[in-house]
Amino acid sequence: MFTRKKNLGDRLKDLFGVGQASDSQFEELEDALLEADIGAKLTVALVESLRVDVKQNNLSGDAIRRHLAAMMEPMLKKADLTIDPLALNCFLFLGVNGVGKTTSIAKLAHRISRDIPKEQIVFAAGDTFRAAASEQLVLHGSRLGIRTVSQGSGADAAAVIFDALESARARKDCLVLADTAGRLHNKTHLVRELEKIDKIARGKSDVYRKILVLDATTGRNGLQQAEVFHQAIGIDALILSKFDSSAKGGMMLSVCRDLGIGIAYVGTGESLDALEVFEPARFARTLLGLQD
Ligand SMILES: Nc1nc2c(ncn2[C@@H]2O[C@H](COP(=O)(O)OP(=O)(O)OP(=O)(O)O)[C@@H](O)[C@H]2O)c(=O)[nH]1
Ligand SMILES: [Mg+2]
């Protein structure tokens, strides 16, 4: 199991008592929000307006945290990843090394296979950079009963995704979940490779979504990752992985607000079941340690 560091919720739990909130309590709140990756500007703005509301409404104790959660909720955006059952859908998974792309593909397939026959779901092993990457996806596929299109390491990622989409079209499959290598975003030639994949996936599918996976434990760096990928090819939805191991994830407020991208799912563990539909209210409450 994880050794949980003292996270935002734990820090805030006992911060505000029954009496009037003091300046030092608001300072402590500010520190805690900063440490939870909320970002300096947003933290200051949140605490400022919270101070006013607390005074005006005479809030104390847990009511302060609940109020803060309600302030955060509209800053968080929900992304829709609805699948058109009569079309060929393609979800392209992006993200830096080790964030949880491949695991998220398996989790999402597991989830979706409740609604769509797994025979109509295909994995595309587009991470051709690492030798073991295709095998990892093939293994997930065979456990789940899902076909994987792969060409092994060193192959052209765009060609693998092309093949997967062509065969899916021929077989009247419904969904292609395409993996990519976790290093595509910051070198010019690699961005060009991403653009090539993007063009093929767009041209060969009816519904196409680019999903960026962000690791909750990487903190503010997640915002930079989102900026880089969004600028390179445009991102439609986010998956926040590893929200279980730290319950850090405050940077998602900035990602939603600054980039206007919504979150579709939250990964809460390594098992196939550990993928939850993102709900802004629930997320804000979890972040602040308010889960029921
Ligand atoms: N605790 C926890 N672990 C996760 C979660 N999602 C993924 N992991 C773990 O994170 C590690 C990396 O996951 P992968 O899915 O291989 O990540 P990736 O982005 O495909 O990595 P590369 O292919 O190397 O770029 C694995 O050990 C996963 O089990 C999650 O939501 N919670
Ligand atoms: Mg992978």
Side-chain angles (χ1 to χ4, degrees):
M1 282 311 286
F2 300 102
T3 42
R4 287 176 80 105
K5 272 197 280 176
K6 209 167 181 195
N7 63 29
L8 181 59
D10 294 333
R11 279 185 72 174
L12 299 190
K13 226 159 244 171
D14 306 313
L15 180 58
F16 297 106
V18 278
Q20 208 179 32
S22 68
D23 279 350
S24 71
Q25 284 169 324
F26 280 111
E27 273 162 35
E28 165 94 35
L29 170 66
E30 209 165 86
D31 287 348
L33 291 178
L34 283 172
E35 263 178 50
D37 307 314
I38 306 280
K41 251 168 75 180
L42 191 55
T43 294
V44 171
L46 279 169
V47 175
E48 280 294 294
S49 87
L50 184 68
R51 264 176 194 271
V52 174
D53 292 355
V54 163
K55 211 167 166 188
Q56 243 169 31
N57 303 305
N58 213 6
L59 301 176
S60 63
D62 262 5
I64 299 181
R65 263 194 305 161
R66 285 200 297 272
H67 191 77
L68 184 58
M71 286 166 70
M72 287 177 167
E73 194 189 320
M75 299 176 183
L76 291 160
K77 206 175 149 196
K78 195 176 152 120
D80 181 26
L81 282 180
T82 311
I83 294 162
D84 181 348
L86 301 174
L88 178 55
N89 302 259
C90 176
F91 291 173
L92 184 69
F93 282 70
L94 302 154
V96 304
N97 284 329
V99 286
K101 295 177 292 299
T102 309
T103 310
S104 297
I105 288 176
K107 287 179 183 177
L108 191 59
H110 179 59
R111 182 183 191 91
I112 288 170
S113 63
R114 291 186 221 150
D115 303 319
I116 289 171
K118 51 183 193 277
E119 296 74 22
Q120 289 184 26
I121 304 175
V122 187
F123 288 161
D127 180 357
T128 53
F129 192 64
R130 246 178 352 102
S134 295
E135 287 142 46
Q136 191 189 349
L137 196 62
V138 169
L139 190 65
H140 277 304
S142 63
R143 281 186 188 144
L144 287 162
I146 287 172
R147 182 169 73 92
T148 303
V149 172
S150 74
Q151 295 179 1
S153 66
D156 180 14
V160 174
I161 293 168
F162 181 97
D163 273 3
L165 285 161
E166 286 257 292
S167 72
R169 177 76 72 191
R171 296 161 61 122
K172 297 192 169 42
D173 288 338
C174 180
L175 176 66
V176 173
L177 297 172
D179 203 2
T180 61
R183 37 93 236 179
L184 286 175
H185 59 294
N186 53 4
K187 301 250 161 44
T188 319
H189 71 283
L190 295 174
V191 169
R192 238 178 273 136
E193 199 172 309
L194 256 191
E195 287 166 353
K196 192 167 128 196
I197 293 172
D198 186 39
K199 202 171 152 196
I200 284 169
R202 187 181 312 114
K204 293 248 153 225
S205 61
D206 307 315
V207 177
Y208 172 44
R209 300 275 181 266
K210 286 165 272 186
I211 303 169
L212 180 69
V213 182
L214 294 177
D215 175 341
T217 64
T218 56
R220 294 296 289 173
N221 202 253
L223 176 61
Q224 276 145 32
Q225 291 166 19
E227 280 167 352
V228 170
F229 275 97
H230 197 43
Q231 202 177 22
I233 59 164
I235 297 300
D236 301 302
L238 301 160
I239 290 180
L240 180 69
S241 66
K242 310 187 197 181
F243 192 54
D244 52 314
S245 49
S246 65
K248 274 192 140 198
M251 81 287 196
M252 298 315 269
L253 289 162
S254 309
V255 178
C256 290
R257 264 167 58 104
D258 298 358
L259 303 179
I261 313 171
I263 306 163
Y265 294 99
V266 177
T268 56
E270 293 187 84
S271 72
L272 284 175
D273 292 324
L275 188 75
E276 295 176 8
V277 172
F278 174 74
E279 296 295 346
R282 179 139 193 255
F283 183 80
R285 289 168 62 80
T286 307
L287 206 59
L288 298 176
L290 280 164
Q291 69 267 54
D292 338 275

